[in-house]
Amino acid sequence: MLLSPGCYNDVLSPGSDPNGPPQFVSFSGDLIPLFNTHCNGTGCHDEVPAHAPSLVPEKAYTSLMSGGYVNTAVPNSSTIYTVVQSGSMPPTGALKPSDAQLILDWIRNGAPNN
């Protein structure tokens, strides 16, 4: 009898791969806190933003969706994702890869206002 030493598991968990199954992401519960921490308190993307879009809670969704920052047809090309994934935003230091993945997964899920 021949035994194989070990197993292979090819199941991807949601959010672990930019091309794998997207994880559930809440705009209000996951992304707004991210924007509050890194984007809208710096004088850049606040209430009257020096740089569009405004990412304050009351304006963030509308600003992102109406400003062309989200592309649900080709999520990887969405401006909001490409600038954080590249590390060019925020200027105070790159977001963690898992935070960039949250943004991508939210877009991949259709960018709901949830």
Side-chain angles (χ1 to χ4, degrees):
M1 181 175 197
L2 183 61
L3 296 174
S4 176
C7 298
Y8 178 76
N9 186 354
D10 63 353
V11 177
L12 294 173
S13 61
S16 65
D17 176 355
N19 300 309
Q23 64 186 310
F24 171 81
V25 179
S26 165
F27 186 78
S28 61
D30 296 312
L31 297 188
I32 290 296
L34 186 66
F35 299 154
N36 287 342
T37 301
H38 299 284
C39 307
N40 66 24
T42 62
C44 290
H45 299 285
D46 53 8
E47 186 72 27
V48 182
H51 305 284
S54 173
L55 295 177
V56 295
E58 354 12 278
K59 294 184 176 186
Y61 186 80
T62 301
S63 293
L64 287 170
M65 300 308 287
S66 66
Y69 299 97
V70 174
N71 181 345
T72 56
V74 186
N76 291 22
S77 71
S78 295
T79 302
I80 184 84
Y81 173 68
T82 59
V83 297
V84 299
Q85 192 271 336
S86 70
S88 63
M89 285 290 147
T92 56
L95 295 180
K96 297 183 296 187
S98 59
D99 290 338
Q101 186 67 43
L102 280 175
I103 293 169
L104 178 61
D105 284 350
W106 170 72
I107 300 166
R108 291 173 67 211
N109 284 317
N113 188 6
N114 55 357

